Amino acid sequence: MATGETGFDDVTFDLVSVQYHSLKAGHDYGQYVRDARNAGRDDIASFFEQVMAEDSARAKQCHEFIKDLAGSTPATA
């Protein structure tokens, strides 16, 4: 298992990255929902809410994988 410059293995780093970007996007989507509602486009607001829920689920799955990796022993070469 390679360890990059961060000190974390590549898979953990990748999961943390996806989790971060999913959470960040979810935060941004809240504004998109408000913008759509303010424009009277509940259909678009619903779409943004769906996307936000998908990113939230993605972040949660990353969290579960990270917990799993933290509890496992590293592979030896």
Side-chain angles (χ1 to χ4, degrees), residues 28-48:
D28 295 343
Y29 296 147
Q31 181 62 51
Y32 303 167
V33 170
R34 288 188 292 279
D35 291 345
R37 293 228 187 276
N38 289 339
R41 293 302 305 259
D42 289 341
D43 56 337
I44 296 173
S46 294
F47 167 74
F48 288 138

Side-chain angles (χ1 to χ4, degrees), residues 7-76:
F8 290 92
D9 65 85
D10 292 341
V11 172
T12 301
F13 180 87
D14 296 345
L15 286 166
V16 169
S17 181
V18 170
Q19 183 180 39
Y20 167 80
H21 290 290
S22 295
L23 291 170
K24 173 69 172 108
H27 179 266
D28 295 343
Y29 296 147
Q31 181 62 51
Y32 303 167
V33 170
R34 288 188 292 279
D35 291 345
R37 293 228 187 276
N38 289 339
R41 293 302 305 259
D42 289 341
D43 56 337
I44 296 173
S46 294
F47 167 74
F48 288 138
E49 288 172 334
Q50 175 186 345
V51 171
M52 187 168 34
E54 291 167 359
D55 268 330
S56 179
R58 190 172 295 112
K60 183 176 180 181
Q61 183 64 59
C62 286
H63 185 75
E64 294 303 316
F65 282 135
I66 292 166
K67 284 189 340 186
D68 183 56
L69 287 173
S72 64
T73 56
T76 57

